[in-house]
Amino acid sequence: MSIRLRLTVWYAGLMALTLVLSSVILYLVLNQSMTIETDTFLESKARDMSFSLQSALRLPDLDRFAEGDVYAQLLMPDLTIVDESKSLGDLGEPLDPEAARLALAGTSSFNTVVIRDVRVRVYTTRITIRGNQVRILQVGRSFERFEHTLTWLQRALLIGDLALVALATAVGWWMAGSSLRPIVRITRTVQSIGESQRLDQRVEYEGPHDEIGELVHTFNRMLAQLEASISAQRRFVADASHELRTPLTTLRLNIDLLRRDRTAEPPERAEVLDDIASELDRLSRLVQGLLDLARADAGFHLEKQPVRADEIVLDVYHQVRPAADGVVINLGETFPITFYANPDYLKQLLLILLDNAIKYTDPGGQVRFTVERDGEWVKFQVSDTGRGIAPEDLPHIFERFYRSRGVRRQRGTGLGLAVARWIAEEHGGHIDVESVPGRGATFTVWLPAGEPRPPASLQSS
Ligand code: ATP
Ligand code: MG
């Protein structure tokens, strides 16, 4: 059963139940109040009659009290009829013999009896006339008039209730349908995404910001995020293949050259071999960068341990100094600083920054490399006096494969800073950059000095 049908059935069912209950109550209350009204009327009639009967010397005419739908009878204790109103039309028998016997014993009562197929309410009481003669007085009133009203009410309630239930069903069906429509749309969109594999579709919704509105909004937001991340992945794969193709083509050309021209002079061969070595170097850097980023994307987390920041800085310094290409590297003063980090990845991060500083600074320039504790942070800084970074490049240099226009002829993959940022973030830190074009750039890495969060036990490797 669909939700729509279920909601409608519940709605209409509850409506029907409420209507039936209230109609029954209304009917019963009306019936009861009519009976009470009749009883009061009959009692007061009986009082009037008994008063006249007791005080008169001759029996008064009962028709003075009873006419139309009101009846009266006066009985002897043996239930023979002394007198009865004309409205009874010669009934010839007591209105309610059972009640008459009870009245003789002193209990007055109200009863409903059927006389000539008409329901009649009868009040029976004992009276004493002329001092000591016991008589039974029965006063009755037919229900006929009320029954008309009640039958009419019954019909009106039945028809009204049926009409209301039909209306409730229609309104319920419409309401359930219109509030579930966005869900139908979501289903269609999901189906269509499944068939077409296109994530640029959205569910249209123009309605209040209720639960359904929230659902549509969340669903659309999720689609947008999926679309962005899948298109980033696609771009990444496309860029990566493109970047991999260039060194592979160069390698292929160089190797072909060597094979074809076996008689080439040694200096020429050495040049080609150098070229091959540098392409292989570039290729392995590229693959390493891709591997790091693929791990980052797969949710890989770094294992941390207590490390000496100053020792790592010294290590990295000794490693890059021989390849400084005429750039002077100044190491700041180092003090012992211990904190939680992954030593291999921390070295990789610092190497990426120093590599850039050396690469983008002309020979004779200077690079300053420092580490210090700054409050809650361990602060590594690499600043150079090189070409600097143009303001329009600054927001993009941490993106994968992004390289400034001016450096494209220099070796590089554009993955270095993307990896560096991931490593810093994995440590719970971040990287800042400042630069004056033509004057140099300063990269500052902030890593938390305290215990690592989340705890190392939660991290997978
Ligand atoms: P690789 O992945 O081989 O390191 P890359 O150096 O080009 O290649 P990133 O290290 O990610 O890539 O740097 C991105 C870009 O940021 C560089 O291409 C360069 O334009 C700019 N850049 C980074 N560091 C500096 C710096 N110290 N001075 C000037 N420009 C820089
Ligand atoms: Mg770099």
Side-chain angles (χ1 to χ4, degrees), residues 2 60 63 122 189-190 192 221 256 285 304 309 347 412 426 452:
S2 71
D63 289 328
V122 177
T189 309
V190 173
S192 136
R221 208 170 43 208
D256 280 353
R285 283 162 63 97
K304 281 156 220 127
K347 273 185 206 164
E426 264 301 303

Side-chain angles (χ1 to χ4, degrees), residues 8 127 179 187 190 210 212 216 222 227 300 304 307 376:
T8 312
I127 56 173
S179 35
T187 314
V190 173
D210 51 12
I212 298 273
V216 173
M222 184 196 78
E227 190 189 9
F300 171 80
K304 281 156 220 127
V307 296
E376 298 288 291

Side-chain angles (χ1 to χ4, degrees), residues 51-63:
F51 184 73
S52 316
L53 290 170
Q54 280 165 356
S55 53
L57 288 172
R58 270 187 62 240
L59 277 180
D61 186 2
L62 282 182
D63 289 328

Side-chain angles (χ1 to χ4, degrees), residues 13 16 31 44 48 78 113 197 199 234-235 267 292 307 311 313 316 349 368 392 424 432-433 438 442 454 460:
N31 192 19
S44 92
D48 289 352
D78 64 358
V113 297
Q197 303 282 321
L199 285 169
R234 287 187 182 146
R235 215 169 37 237
D292 286 336
V307 296
E311 286 173 4
V313 163
V316 172
L349 191 172
R368 192 171 158 69
E392 63 270 23
D432 286 345
V433 54
T442 300
S460 57

Side-chain angles (χ1 to χ4, degrees), residues 285 352-353 355-356 359-360 403 411-417:
R285 283 162 63 97
I352 289 169
L353 298 183
D355 176 59
N356 284 347
K359 193 161 61 172
Y360 302 120
R403 309 196 69 208
R411 72 177 167 82
T413 63
L415 291 180
L417 287 180

